[in-house]
Amino acid sequence: MRTIEGNLLHGGRRFALVASRFNDFVTRRLVEGCADMLRRHGVDEDHLTLAWVPGSFELPVAARRLAASGEYAAVICLGTVIRGETSHYDLVCREAASGVAAVSRDTGVPCIFGVVTTDTLEQAIHRAGSKSGNKGADAALAALEMADLLPRLGGKG
Ligand code: INI
């Protein structure tokens, strides 16, 4: 069986991060975890771009622009949605998730969903660099792997 896998190699590629300001106390830690993981895998500082949007609902539209630019091997979307703070939690989560997935499918550029969705602020903090790891760092690994995998699959996005 021929097996195709992506390695965690930067390959000189450029990566874009899109982060939402809502709950930025948490999201900034996701951004730091993500950028740190990319740098530790050899990604050049010059090859990292960070764009801020107001909330997670706005992640897809910015991700689409970045993905369509053709400059980036992957776009990493980072945000924090906390149920306790919004009655439209489900809407924001659903639109962010389906929007990011649609950008990925439509452009062929891997768009990584690094949005923490929790019931409480405490749970969100745990996923942003304390008890439960850092979802931004996990998103960076997914981006490296997908960016390396896609060219190996052949064809076009
Ligand atoms: N955006 C978030 O990223 N996280 C949240 O928890 C959140 N809450 O609680 O409402 C949130 N709302 C803002 C939303 O993403 C949009 O920015 C806003 O609706 C304007 O379109």
Side-chain angles (χ1 to χ4, degrees), residues 20 22-23 54-58 79-83 85-86 88 92:
S20 64
F22 210 103
N23 295 317
S56 295
F57 190 83
E58 285 75 35
T80 309
V81 192
I82 302 173
R83 186 185 290 278
E85 293 181 10
T86 176
H88 61 274
V92 173

Side-chain angles (χ1 to χ4, degrees), residues 11-28:
R13 303 180 181 97
R14 294 175 187 273
F15 294 85
L17 285 63
V18 192
S20 64
R21 291 188 197 285
F22 210 103
N23 295 317
D24 80 320
F25 167 73
V26 179
T27 306
R28 280 185 192 279

Side-chain angles (χ1 to χ4, degrees), residues 7-52:
N7 293 317
L8 300 180
L9 300 171
H10 65 84
R13 303 180 181 97
R14 294 175 187 273
F15 294 85
L17 285 63
V18 192
S20 64
R21 291 188 197 285
F22 210 103
N23 295 317
D24 80 320
F25 167 73
V26 179
T27 306
R28 280 185 192 279
R29 274 146 193 85
L30 299 177
V31 171
E32 284 163 16
C34 181
D36 179 60
M37 189 59 88
L38 291 169
R39 289 184 194 115
R40 286 198 284 131
H41 280 80
V43 179
D44 238 50
E45 196 62 38
D46 288 355
H47 287 180
L48 287 176
T49 298
L50 169 64
W52 286 96

